[in-house]
Amino acid sequence: MSFIDLEIYSPVQQINHPLFAERGLSVFIKRDDLIHPLISGNKWRKLKYVLQKARAQQKQHLITFGGSYSNHLLATAAAAALFGFKSTGIVRGEPVDNPHLFLCRLHGMKLIFTDRERYRNKMQLFDTYFGNDNDAFFIDEGGASAEAAQGCSELINELDEVFDHIFCACGTGTTAAGIINGIDQHQLPTCFNGIPVFKNGGFIAAEIEKYLIKKHDYQLHTAYHFGGYAKTSAQLIKFIEEFIPLTGIMIEPVYTGKMLYAIFDLIKNNYFSSGSKILAIHTGGILGLLGYQNQFSSFKNTHPYL
Ligand SMILES: *Cc1c(COP(=O)(O)O)cnc(C)c1O
């Protein structure tokens, strides 16, 4: 029975932009997207202790939940294959095919589609399909759990410098909670800034606080949802289309694009005091770009044919 771990490669890199120099700010990005091509970013951190728990309980079959573009589903499929588990994904909505689900299946994940009504009660779905399966191990949608928050808190152990601000996109808020716990444990003066990717993202505060070990201040910037989860706008697409060639770092419209857009916008609005050091967490998920290809002007070949 092998132990479950990955060697973390996630360097902190500086991003340069005339706007940063003009405002006397330094901006860095922690490349959690480089941890693994599919178990990317926060998804490895969130799964690590969950998978260790499954193994300790001698469970062989991971059961989890997600939408058809879920990075968590794909990360679980890839991690299951890598560490010798079977996996089943319960997918919200009618049967579809897309690059994410193709890659899930390619890693051996069985997919069960279910309507939105039944999808709401995940424990009941688990019981219906796997109640009698002693091997089955339940992993909540998005991997949300105390173990996931613990895994994410370890990101802070890897920092060699002290930052004034850390920014991260928030879905379930588990990653945010883990990072805030890490900041608290190391007694850093760093302010955590979360960018909820949902409309009316204020509800994320309650989700974050579920997993906080101690009460700790943080900021949520709820105005950067671009219409809601997985919604985008011409403005956001344009931002991503400028950011990638400028930095060589891929970002996407669902999470990291919104988070980095927020940083640029807050800088323009003089949110930061001069001299501040800002760290953005690249939480991975770049395959999310594939659901939006045709909205990018780069999608079309505009080169002359000679
Ligand atoms: C899942 C995901 C998040 C959100 O993480 P939570 O812990 O659910 O808040 C952020 N960024 C990317 C790229 C993700 O795939």
Side-chain angles (χ1 to χ4, degrees), residues 42-43 46 71 142 169-176 252 255-256 283-285:
N42 60 344
K43 296 301 183 278
K46 290 177 76 172
N71 294 327
C170 302
T172 64
T174 317
T175 304
E252 45 65 52
Y255 294 103
T256 50
T283 42

Side-chain angles (χ1 to χ4, degrees), residues 186-200:
H186 287 263
Q187 298 188 305
L188 297 175
T190 309
C191 175
F192 178 84
N193 297 262
I195 310 298
V197 299
F198 297 94
K199 208 176 195 160
N200 306 320

Side-chain angles (χ1 to χ4, degrees), residues 7 20 92 102 120 185 221 224 239 243 272 282 287:
E7 194 181 327
F20 307 160
R92 184 185 63 233
F102 160 66
R120 271 193 207 113
Q185 281 153 5
H221 305 277
Y224 297 102
F239 171 77
F243 183 88
F272 305 99
H282 195 314
L287 289 179

